[in-house]
Amino acid sequence: MHESTVPKTTFFATARERAAQDVNFRLTLVRWRTNVVRCRTTWRIYLDHLKHNSAAAWVKRYYLASRAVMEATLRPHDLGSTQWYVLWQLANNGPTVQRDFLNMLQVEKPTLSEVVSALVRKGFIEQTPAADDQRQRLLTITPTGLKLWQGLPDPIAYQMAWSIWYFFSFYQH
């Protein structure tokens, strides 16, 4: 049937229906696009959430927070964590060759030299040539260093207490 043979009322009714369907289709398309945008935004937020709450991110946060607790514990005594470990080693295991600290601390020679010279300058350790090999330096804790060591708070205990507090306070919410 051609348009000319269709009664005018039917044609207009069909055109109106078609226009209404067109409008509904356009509205549906707009709603769909809006939902897609919302879904993308939600998905991006979710991915950001995962990125910031991954196991690696939590480990990094824990590491940085633990270091901050350790540094805050040692700061009043004018010590860093590496200096604390050198004192710990000397107080608990006795005189140690400086070269051995390279493996224990996993640091480079210049870094270790800086740490040792700072402790020698503060009067906490002595650096003497080793008896068996004059090229090696033997580190020993001084009476001043031992007195300091005995008066130091244990930063590892503070760190553990902080970790337990943080864990339980985080999961209460």
Side-chain angles (χ1 to χ4, degrees):
M1 237 177 172
H2 295 294
E3 273 188 14
S4 58
T5 57
V6 176
K8 295 285 183 197
T9 55
T10 308
F11 175 76
F12 287 119
T14 312
R16 270 188 238 126
E17 286 174 8
R18 200 174 307 150
Q21 284 176 351
D22 245 12
V23 169
N24 285 340
F25 177 74
R26 286 185 188 142
L27 286 174
T28 304
L29 189 60
V30 167
R31 286 185 193 123
W32 181 79
R33 283 183 186 158
T34 305
N35 286 338
V36 166
V37 169
R38 281 187 193 142
C39 286
R40 281 187 193 154
T41 304
T42 306
W43 185 247
R44 283 187 188 130
I45 291 169
Y46 178 68
L47 288 178
D48 283 345
H49 170 76
L50 286 179
K51 181 171 58 175
H52 296 296
N53 288 315
S54 68
W58 279 102
V59 168
K60 184 176 180 179
R61 273 190 226 143
Y62 176 78
Y63 169 76
L64 293 174
S66 320
R67 289 288 297 203
V69 168
M70 189 166 198
E71 295 294 331
T73 305
L74 296 172
R75 190 175 300 120
H77 304 281
D78 194 29
L79 288 175
S81 57
T82 309
Q83 292 174 346
W84 177 86
Y85 186 76
V86 169
L87 287 176
W88 179 88
Q89 175 69 22
L90 296 175
N92 290 311
N93 298 322
T96 308
V97 178
Q98 184 171 338
R99 167 181 38 114
D100 294 344
F101 282 103
L102 293 172
N103 290 331
M104 285 184 236
L105 298 172
Q106 294 294 305
V107 295
E108 299 293 325
K109 283 183 183 180
T111 305
L112 181 60
S113 294
E114 188 177 313
V115 168
V116 168
S117 63
L119 288 171
V120 168
R121 190 173 50 253
K122 293 175 186 177
F124 299 143
I125 65 172
E126 286 180 337
Q127 187 180 37
T128 57
D132 56 337
D133 186 357
Q134 295 292 313
R135 295 172 296 166
Q136 298 298 321
R137 299 287 173 209
L138 185 67
L139 304 179
T140 55
I141 194 165
T142 63
T144 308
L146 196 55
K147 184 178 176 185
L148 171 75
W149 178 254
Q150 291 166 348
L152 277 177
D154 185 3
I156 304 293
Y158 279 107
Q159 187 176 351
M160 292 304 293
W162 176 86
S163 299
I164 292 167
W165 172 83
Y166 182 77
F167 176 79
F168 285 111
S169 67
F170 179 77
Y171 282 104
Q172 285 178 354
H173 301 293

